[in-house]
Amino acid sequence: MAGQVFRVMLRMQIKSGMEGDFERVWQEVGDSVTSHPANLGQWLSRSAEEDGIYYIVSDWADEPRFREFETSDRHLEHRKKLHPYRSGGSMTTMHVVAALSGAVGSRS
């Protein structure tokens, strides 16, 4: 469906003892993603259940513009800066089909 938010979720395993450095570098280089005109935002979360596991979620205006970013030199440079901290990972993509705001999010 045209105009549907395209969401990317990365699951990253970070090398033991490098978690703090990874978080710092992720924040330092994040604008290479968020400054892209099709990016709607991104979030870094640390697993509450598994040591060294992080999730990065980014929302995009549409899939074609994400795919354009994914193969760009800008993205490859971003990945190079984070790669030394990773010991594994995976990527899942999806189309957001509905969104509901919670009670706190809907207060004015």
Side-chain angles (χ1 to χ4, degrees):
M1 177 190 299
Q4 198 173 58
V5 171
F6 186 70
R7 181 165 287 165
V8 177
M9 184 173 71
L10 303 172
R11 181 186 186 276
M12 295 180 73
Q13 173 75 45
I14 303 305
K15 295 174 184 173
S16 181
M18 299 185 83
E19 295 88 353
D21 289 335
F22 166 73
E23 290 178 22
R24 179 183 49 77
V25 172
W26 183 86
Q27 289 190 28
E28 289 173 0
V29 302
D31 68 335
S32 66
V33 175
T34 57
S35 64
H36 188 281
N39 183 264
L40 302 172
Q42 75 170 338
W43 300 263
L44 175 66
S45 301
R46 181 178 51 241
S47 175
E49 300 166 350
E50 298 176 275
D51 292 339
I53 299 295
Y54 286 81
Y55 295 92
I56 299 169
V57 174
S58 61
D59 285 352
W60 296 83
D62 55 49
E63 184 175 359
R65 289 192 285 174
F66 166 73
R67 297 297 180 189
E68 172 189 292
F69 169 76
E70 182 182 34
T71 59
S72 70
D73 290 341
R74 174 188 205 163
H75 182 240
L76 295 175
E77 189 62 31
H78 174 79
R79 285 181 48 196
K80 271 193 224 176
K81 291 176 181 172
L82 294 176
H83 186 75
Y85 305 99
R86 293 180 54 172
S87 61
S90 62
M91 181 173 91
T92 301
T93 60
M94 60 202 87
H95 295 278
V96 175
V97 296
L100 302 172
S101 295
V104 173
S106 61
R107 291 181 189 159
S108 48

